[in-house]
Amino acid sequence: MPFPLDRLLHAWNESWPDDAAARAAFAALYTDPVALNGILVTLDGLVAMARTMHEVYAEPRRQILDVVEAPGRVAFAFRLTARHVGPLATRVGTVDATGRTVALTA
């Protein structure tokens, strides 16, 4: 049975009413913790990341670029296109909102 990418995209795009609902949605799709780009992230960390994405980006669109599945694992690459509407904290400082459309590949 293929991995439910549509449910995964919904989990990231949804504005969950509370952290418990968001955590339940992510728990149905991810292990706790999960490796994202080689870094272990807890379910609570995923919820925080999703909340931050909603504060930073408006009108997000995610396009799946590639999917690789193996027993008990799935990896995928996607492009996120959105409007930058909130401050984005990075390792080198904060990038103020530009209002521009950005495209990120992960």
Side-chain angles (χ1 to χ4, degrees):
M1 182 165 113
F3 187 80
L5 286 174
D6 56 335
R7 285 181 39 217
L8 183 135
L9 294 177
H10 174 74
W12 284 97
N13 287 331
E14 181 68 27
S15 293
W16 297 101
D18 56 56
D19 286 352
R23 191 176 198 290
F26 283 104
L29 299 161
Y30 290 93
T31 59
D32 188 14
V34 63
L36 296 181
N37 299 323
I39 298 170
L40 289 179
V41 180
T42 64
L43 290 175
D44 291 332
L46 291 177
V47 171
M49 288 172 63
R51 295 247 184 256
T52 297
M53 296 291 286
H54 285 272
E55 294 168 1
V56 174
Y57 301 115
E59 303 154 13
R61 295 177 307 282
R62 290 176 176 85
Q63 174 190 10
I64 302 296
L65 302 175
D66 199 5
V67 179
V68 177
E69 293 188 58
R73 296 176 184 257
V74 65
F76 59 96
F78 67 94
R79 178 176 294 117
L80 167 68
T81 304
R83 201 163 38 83
H84 181 201
V85 297
L88 174 63
T90 73
R91 292 182 186 149
V92 296
T94 300
V95 179
D96 292 329
T98 64
R100 296 182 190 161
T101 298
V102 297
L104 311 165
T105 304

